Amino acid sequence: MTDEKNGTTRRGLITTGAMAAALAVTLPALAAQQTSASTTAAAGGKSDGNASGSGMFTVKDGTQIFYKDWGSGQPIVFHHGWPLSSDDWDAQMLFFLSKGFRVIAHDRRGHGRSSQTAVGNEMDTYAADVAELMAHLNIRNAVHIGHSTGGGEVARYVARHGRGRVAKAVLIGAVPPIMLRTAKNPGGIPMDVFDGLRKAVAENRTQFYREFPSGPFYGFNRPGAKVSEAIIDNWWRQGMNGGIKAQYDCIKAFSETDFTDDLKNIEVPTLVLHGEDDQIVPIADSAQLSIKLLRHGTLKTYPGQPHGMCTTHGDVINADLLAFIKA
């Protein structure tokens, strides 16, 4: 039934009412957590259990790292993929905040709102930046979750800096052990593929950052795929917010870094999640090799799911993450 005067439908009003009711329950709960955290911080509480929101942290070489830090409880630290930012974890940040966790995510140097660095755009420095930030926030007993390039960052951080601070780790669609085809890694991706990425970024980054998420990243190039222009726009927005030099350099970091020793040296329980239709980081040369190197690893794969499954299938991934963290 249509109300001609107001141009609305009864169904629309019912839907709007239902949304309002849901928000009325959810938003106050989230706000209460934030208020509690802010109150403690204002009273002089240290940042090891109560977060204040977001901020900038300057690491030892002068680079400013943007981070979000919400809620209280056991910390979960999220590490984003290339060439994105901490905003790529929106669905996970809100979900785990509502479950009573403290959620933290940063923009890697050169990406998002962090300094557009010309140097230090390689995995050792990425991990060292995380180590400085974790020390600054006094983060311990944390679960570190990394997607794609962020999975490599997690592996290197946990192996080299995380002793005594990390409870568990998660690698999602992650680049370890090594993406590049070499004599020791014959199933890897040829160098000319990565050279093609560099060429696309250098010649017309804005066009490439439309094409990449429109196609293989989210599996939108598959027959019958439900394409979301909003998701594509958000990917483009995040990519264009970073610096081209750092993003160009990062291609070498995520493709050529060998994480074999890092994986062998991780002592904490590690969950490896991977989409079986991942066209960006093929599962056969990543997750299926990583699981053989981890001391305490668990592998879970998802038939038909793409590289960007944390966005396209967030409800499924969040549930599996929660089960692992609580186990």
Side-chain angles (χ1 to χ4, degrees):
M1 179 177 179
T2 302
D3 183 334
E4 298 294 343
K5 181 177 180 181
N6 295 314
T8 59
T9 64
R10 187 180 300 275
R11 178 176 295 178
L13 290 171
I14 292 172
T15 302
T16 302
M19 290 176 62
L23 290 171
V25 173
T26 305
L27 293 180
L30 295 176
Q33 293 185 41
Q34 291 296 93
T35 300
S36 176
S38 299
T39 300
T40 303
K46 201 172 182 179
S47 62
D48 56 353
N50 294 279
S52 59
S54 65
M56 300 294 292
F57 171 67
T58 303
V59 297
K60 61 184 179 182
D61 73 351
T63 298
Q64 289 191 310
I65 303 296
F66 173 84
Y67 68 93
K68 305 173 187 180
D69 185 1
W70 307 336
S72 59
Q74 183 180 16
I76 303 177
V77 184
F78 296 94
H79 305 245
H80 66 81
W82 175 90
L84 305 174
S85 72
S86 56
D87 291 353
D88 203 44
W89 291 109
D90 282 355
Q92 286 69 44
M93 296 273 284
L94 281 179
F95 175 81
F96 284 100
L97 180 62
S98 73
K99 297 297 181 182
F101 291 90
R102 179 180 179 181
V103 293
I104 300 165
H106 70 292
D107 293 355
R108 186 174 301 114
R109 65 166 54 214
H111 295 66
R113 288 140 293 204
S114 293
S115 298
Q116 294 197 6
T117 46
V119 297
N121 304 309
E122 36 73 27
M123 203 57 64
D124 286 351
T125 302
Y126 295 159
D129 288 346
V130 174
E132 286 194 57
L133 179 60
M134 294 301 99
H136 170 68
L137 297 175
N138 198 19
I139 300 300
R140 298 183 181 277
N141 192 37
V143 179
H144 283 260
I145 301 175
H147 174 243
S148 196
T149 299
E153 184 176 272
V154 166
R156 182 134 300 180
Y157 166 76
V158 174
R160 297 191 178 184
H161 305 280
R163 186 180 297 273
R165 290 185 177 273
V166 178
K168 295 180 179 181
V170 183
L171 310 178
I172 306 177
V175 298
I178 180 174
M179 290 191 74
L180 182 67
R181 178 182 294 174
T182 65
K184 293 182 179 180
N185 185 43
I189 298 172
M191 177 65 83
D192 59 7
V193 173
F194 301 112
D195 287 341
L197 287 179
R198 280 182 276 265
K199 185 174 185 290
V201 169
E203 291 184 352
N204 193 343
R205 179 172 65 140
T206 186
Q207 179 64 34
F208 179 61
Y209 285 1
R210 288 289 303 177
E211 294 171 353
F212 203 55
S214 299
F217 196 93
Y218 294 110
F220 290 159
N221 58 338
R222 295 306 197 200
K226 185 178 180 181
V227 177
S228 169
E229 291 298 329
I231 288 175
I232 295 168
D233 288 347
N234 190 42
W235 201 100
W236 179 89
R237 175 190 66 82
Q238 291 180 71
M240 292 305 296
N241 203 32
I244 189 171
K245 175 64 165 64
Q247 292 173 350
Y248 184 94
D249 291 350
C250 188
I251 296 171
K252 178 180 178 68
F254 72 65
S255 64
E256 298 182 39
T257 304
D258 190 342
F259 298 96
T260 299
D261 289 340
D262 298 303
L263 295 172
K264 290 179 179 179
N265 290 327
I266 293 175
E267 299 177 348
V268 299
T270 304
L271 176 64
V272 179
L273 304 180
H274 217 102
E276 294 180 14
D277 192 34
D278 191 323
Q279 301 172 67
I280 308 302
V281 182
I283 189 173
D285 198 54
S286 53
Q288 291 177 355
L289 299 181
S290 292
I291 196 64
K292 298 176 183 178
L293 299 170
L294 290 162
R295 300 185 194 183
H296 308 289
T298 301
L299 174 64
K300 183 175 179 61
T301 66
Y302 301 84
Q305 291 198 17
H307 188 62
M309 63 185 182
C310 290
T311 297
T312 60
H313 299 77
D315 55 343
V316 175
I317 303 303
N318 288 350
D320 289 342
L321 290 173
L322 182 61
F324 172 70
I325 292 169
K326 287 191 169 183

